Amino acid sequence: MLLMFENRSFDHMLGHLSYQGLQPLADGLKNPLAQYENLYKGGAYLPFPIQTDLQLPFDLPHEFNEVKIQLARSSVNGKLNMDGFVEAYAMKTGQQPNPESEPMGFFTDKDVPVTSFLAREFCTCDRWFSSVPSSTQPNRSMAFCGEIPVHQTKLQGLSANGNIFKWMNDHKITWRVYHDGFSFFTLYPKLWRYVLGPKFRNYKHLYSDMLNNDVPQVILVEPSYHGIGPGQPNDNHAPLAIGWGEDFLRKTYQAAIVNPEVWKELLMVVYYDEHGGFYDHVPPPACKSTTTEEVPFNFDSLGVRIPGILISPWVRPGSVCNELFDHTSVLQFLAEKFTPGIPYSPDLEARANQSPKISSISVALSDQQNLADAPQPDSAPILVRSVLGDTTCTPPTEGIPLSFELSARDLMARFPEKVRVKYPELFRWRDELDLARKRTGQV
Amino acid sequence: MKKSTGLKFNQQCSPLLIGLVIVSLLAACRSKNYHFDVQPKTIKANDSVFVSWENNRNGKLLIYDTYFGDDIIYRNFKLVDPGHSKRVIPPVQVAILNKARIVFHGHLSNDSLIVSEQIDKVRFGNKLIINSIINTSGRDLDISHSGRSVKLAPDEESRIFKGTSVNGLWQFRSALSDKEKSNSELIKDDKLSVLISF
């Protein structure tokens, strides 16, 4: 079961494990926090524990050129200083950064109770990097296609060569996608036949399907993405508060453990597509990746570290895995499991075998079963203080929400009947959006 | 038409929750633009700050302190606009400090690591006056500022800049060791920094 959230770094979500002494083995934040200072115009900006989970004023910078500033390669010794997160933030927002600047904030266990619980109970991966030092579209494409069609996120339809769905179909692996809102895969026109097909199923069925043992071999769980459709976005993309995502994670975990027969053979992977502009202190290692664009673009390192948690009776309880992972580590694992001896793709295998080697997540699994009785998370309600800003009536300008909206409108225009069955909420959302924009003159 | 308003706050208020100040913010049109700022961003205890905003409705200014470690106080200014309660107006933080670290990445120039940079005028303002300075770079450092210069060993303190403003151009130079000259990868840290007491 694969659950990929959006845009948070390891230190931002799980740095508290070591800072609070909850999991000292995890390579998170430690006192003194001054060792992690970021520099901007002569001032030092330190990580700080976030006092309250609130919506942020802005999304944070995380496009390729911005990540380059964040990684801050030294002109003196060539090392990545990892101290340009505040500078990139100031440049993107045009705001004077506060001493406690948004990219430097990290959650304590109080505000990420479910993520923290799962990381402590199961296996925290503290060397899981996003695949490339860029944004959503390149990283998600690498995660689910094993190749990178673009090097940055724009308003664009994406090619889906090498996609995981075709790969699973080719190898007769059963699968299903449970989507809480509009699927990310609508950004890949070639995948629309899947998106509108029976294997894409509403998230509300996940729990009962698991309970009734109606379970395929591979499950992808999609949160509700920020910036598209009605309802509460829970993908954790900044500037969202994190509470809805925590609640979604808890519901998904509860579905994962509801049926002991399913649970005993289950591996749930919780990971993030990229860091979203939030600070992390570990420099990503060198790794060459090339896009499949007409003019290929070369990346020379992995992206910023992201939170990765492996949840299964087959991991050592309360363990930390230091092996080098990126999103293709999941594809490697699927190939090991379902097509032994045959890699997901030759290109992916060659990339993984660079130095340092990118491992399969199978190295974090134990050869014996533990935790037959799955631990229960705290059931206390998670309060979310959130504001929606002007976003409901302001047309999006950035790549992902703009691409989402245009894909949704395109799908509704081309396949109205199928979309009405699959995503009925989209029509009402579109009508309300158009009305709101008309009233505010922002059509 | 937008109106710009300002208030000065003295720092003699309650240390925890200074208060909820309700200010009438009047304007004649329904502009979506707003401006909210507090200057300067770094002050000493008892210094004043200047709060300014543009807005078209009534608003509330929430002021409260948060603490970082034992000796740093952040005074937080948050403009809550009931007319646009769904809008997130970026809050502004002011640091109340007795000392501050100035730090830059150095660059290689001949056989030295050098810095020649203006510090952030918005963050440090123009009222902070230097009392003393300590070399926190972990290596010998030549420091020039406000027409004065000094050479300091690691952790050495000097009062040569006493009475000058923190604001302005700072120049640092640190000679490379023979090993560093032969291989710049041996320069463990490219940062040059000083700690200034006000």
Side-chain angles (χ1 to χ4, degrees):
Chain A
M1 179 187 284
L2 309 178
L3 169 53
M4 178 178 272
F5 283 107
E6 284 273 313
N7 290 38
R8 305 278 170 166
S9 71
F10 184 94
D11 281 343
H12 175 69
M13 293 295 288
L14 292 175
H16 72 271
L17 291 177
S18 50
Y19 181 75
Q20 294 180 264
L22 300 172
Q23 174 47 286
L25 296 176
D27 188 2
L29 299 168
K30 293 174 183 134
N31 275 317
L33 292 175
Q35 68 186 298
Y36 310 112
E37 68 184 4
N38 268 227
L39 275 50
Y40 177 63
K41 291 187 176 177
Y45 295 78
L46 276 48
F48 63 95
I50 294 168
Q51 299 296 322
T52 308
D53 173 31
L54 288 173
Q55 174 149 327
L56 300 175
F58 307 102
D59 187 13
L60 273 55
H62 50 276
E63 278 299 346
F64 171 74
N65 287 332
E66 297 159 339
V67 180
K68 193 174 176 182
I69 294 169
Q70 293 164 344
L71 301 183
R73 188 177 292 283
S74 169
S75 64
V76 173
N77 56 25
K79 294 175 187 167
L80 296 177
N81 280 317
M82 304 302 286
D83 61 8
F85 290 77
V86 174
E87 182 181 345
Y89 178 76
M91 286 176 67
K92 178 176 180 180
T93 64
Q95 296 280 317
Q96 172 69 21
N98 283 324
E100 291 184 324
S101 182
E102 277 78 5
M104 303 305 288
F106 65 91
F107 287 113
T108 62
D109 64 328
K110 172 177 71 70
D111 283 321
V112 286
V114 185
T115 300
S116 186
F117 163 82
L118 294 172
R120 282 180 277 135
E121 291 288 340
F122 294 99
C123 178
T124 301
C125 304
D126 69 358
R127 283 293 180 278
W128 192 321
F129 296 84
S130 47
S131 288
V132 289
S134 189
S135 51
T136 290
Q137 289 179 352
N139 275 297
R140 278 192 174 260
S141 294
M142 192 55 137
F144 297 112
C145 298
E147 64 176 45
I148 318 169
V150 293
H151 70 280
Q152 56 186 339
T153 296
K154 285 182 182 169
L155 171 59
Q156 56 199 339
L158 301 167
S159 75
N161 297 332
N163 74 79
I164 190 172
F165 307 118
K166 182 177 185 305
W167 180 83
M168 289 190 288
N169 286 344
D170 288 349
H171 294 94
K172 304 195 178 351
I173 300 162
T174 59
W175 60 272
R176 210 177 270 158
V177 174
Y178 289 88
H179 53 89
D180 192 43
F182 198 51
S183 171
F184 183 84
F185 296 105
T186 53
L187 299 188
Y188 301 81
K190 277 187 184 171
L191 300 183
W192 286 0
R193 62 195 176 98
Y194 296 126
V195 171
L196 296 173
K199 289 184 175 178
F200 272 62
R201 199 161 156 76
N202 193 297
Y203 178 77
K204 68 185 179 189
H205 299 299
L206 176 64
Y207 190 91
S208 55
D209 285 355
M210 297 291 277
L211 186 63
N212 296 326
N213 226 345
D214 178 11
V215 182
Q217 289 166 296
V218 177
I219 295 172
L220 275 70
V221 178
E222 287 196 274
S224 182
Y225 296 101
H226 178 54
I228 185 72
Q232 299 171 342
N234 50 29
D235 63 342
N236 287 342
H237 195 303
L240 286 179
I242 206 93
W244 286 330
E246 284 293 290
D247 193 51
F248 184 75
L249 176 57
R250 180 166 59 188
K251 280 195 294 187
T252 307
Y253 172 67
Q254 286 168 334
I257 65 175
V258 64
N259 184 340
E261 285 303 304
V262 176
W263 165 247
K264 72 180 184 185
E265 295 297 333
L266 187 82
L267 169 61
M268 177 178 171
V269 181
V270 177
Y271 53 151
Y272 282 69
D273 66 334
E274 35 100 355
H275 71 301
F278 290 100
Y279 172 72
D280 193 84
H281 78 277
V282 178
C287 177
K288 294 196 183 307
S289 306
T290 303
T291 66
T292 55
E293 290 163 292
E294 217 169 277
V295 180
F297 186 89
N298 296 313
F299 295 101
D300 60 5
S301 79
L302 295 176
V304 177
R305 200 170 55 139
I306 51 97
I309 307 173
L310 303 179
I311 298 161
S312 171
W314 293 94
V315 299
R316 285 176 288 280
S319 59
V320 174
C321 178
N322 318 114
E323 288 286 331
L324 178 61
F325 294 150
D326 85 333
H327 302 333
T328 65
S329 299
V330 174
L331 301 178
Q332 286 188 56
F333 169 72
L334 293 176
E336 287 171 3
K337 175 86 180 160
F338 297 113
T339 61
I342 307 171
Y344 186 89
S345 79
D347 289 348
L348 210 62
E349 188 182 34
R351 178 178 174 275
N353 285 330
Q354 297 178 51
S355 179
K357 179 178 164 48
I358 300 170
S359 299
S360 159
I361 55 173
S362 60
V363 299
L365 301 181
S366 162
D367 52 8
Q368 62 180 23
Q369 201 181 32
N370 308 286
L371 288 170
D373 296 323
Q376 294 289 339
D378 190 348
S379 59
I382 296 170
L383 301 176
V384 183
R385 302 178 203 185
S386 186
V387 285
L388 296 177
D390 290 330
T391 53
T392 50
C393 56
T394 307
T397 54
E398 297 197 343
I400 284 288
L402 194 56
S403 301
F404 261 141
E405 182 168 332
L406 294 184
S407 292
R409 287 177 185 275
D410 201 11
L411 268 175
M412 281 185 278
R414 289 190 196 199
F415 310 103
E417 294 312 314
K418 285 184 176 176
V419 176
R420 210 172 287 282
V421 172
K422 200 70 156 176
Y423 302 100
E425 70 279 6
L426 280 183
F427 287 91
R428 196 189 63 174
W429 164 79
R430 180 194 62 187
D431 294 345
E432 289 175 352
L433 207 63
D434 290 346
L435 185 62
R437 289 180 187 168
K438 196 175 172 186
R439 281 180 179 163
T440 56
Q442 298 195 60
V443 179
Chain B
M1 184 184 76
K2 297 169 196 169
K3 284 194 176 179
S4 179
T5 318
L7 274 184
K8 272 198 169 183
F9 282 89
N10 190 278
Q11 305 306 312
Q12 302 287 353
C13 309
S14 159
L16 273 177
L17 178 65
I18 297 183
L20 189 65
V21 182
I22 302 175
V23 257
S24 292
L25 308 170
L26 301 173
C29 71
R30 289 190 167 197
S31 168
K32 292 184 75 66
N33 297 321
Y34 62 89
H35 160 85
F36 171 57
D37 198 15
V38 184
Q39 295 276 6
K41 312 287 187 197
T42 306
I43 58 172
K44 293 184 296 175
N46 301 325
D47 283 351
S48 295
V49 293
F50 188 79
V51 184
S52 61
W53 63 87
E54 287 175 359
N55 208 305
N56 59 349
R57 292 171 188 261
N58 294 332
K60 295 177 180 179
L61 183 62
L62 185 66
I63 309 172
Y64 58 97
D65 286 355
T66 50
Y67 300 87
F68 192 88
D70 294 332
D71 54 357
I72 299 178
I73 301 172
Y74 293 129
R75 187 145 296 165
N76 300 269
F77 296 79
K78 191 169 186 178
L79 187 64
V80 182
D81 179 355
H84 294 92
S85 58
K86 289 181 175 177
R87 176 182 294 160
V88 180
I89 299 175
V92 177
Q93 253 182 347
V94 173
I96 304 174
L97 305 169
N98 292 320
K99 47 192 166 186
R101 190 154 167 265
I102 305 289
V103 54
F104 290 100
H105 286 296
H107 304 281
L108 287 176
S109 175
N110 298 325
D111 289 340
S112 297
L113 205 52
I114 63 160
V115 164
S116 180
E117 300 268 4
Q118 299 276 351
I119 65 161
D120 187 349
K121 287 179 188 169
V122 181
R123 177 163 180 181
F124 294 102
N126 55 9
K127 290 185 177 173
L128 293 175
I129 303 299
I130 299 172
N131 182 33
S132 68
I133 188 169
I134 299 174
N135 171 15
T136 50
S137 303
R139 53 195 300 146
D140 289 347
L141 191 65
D142 293 310
I143 307 163
S144 297
H145 175 66
S146 292
R148 305 178 192 180
S149 296
V150 67
K151 180 167 187 165
L152 297 179
D155 300 322
E156 188 180 356
E157 185 170 9
S158 167
R159 291 182 186 274
I160 190 167
F161 301 109
K162 185 169 179 162
T164 65
S165 169
V166 171
N167 213 343
L169 179 69
W170 286 86
Q171 291 177 305
F172 301 149
R173 178 178 291 275
S174 182
L176 300 181
S177 68
D178 289 341
K179 281 185 180 175
E180 290 173 331
K181 284 178 203 168
S182 63
N183 182 2
S184 63
E185 290 181 11
L186 296 176
I187 303 171
K188 285 183 184 170
D189 191 351
D190 66 3
K191 288 184 286 191
L192 298 176
S193 65
V194 294
L195 182 67
I196 299 169
S197 297
F198 308 127

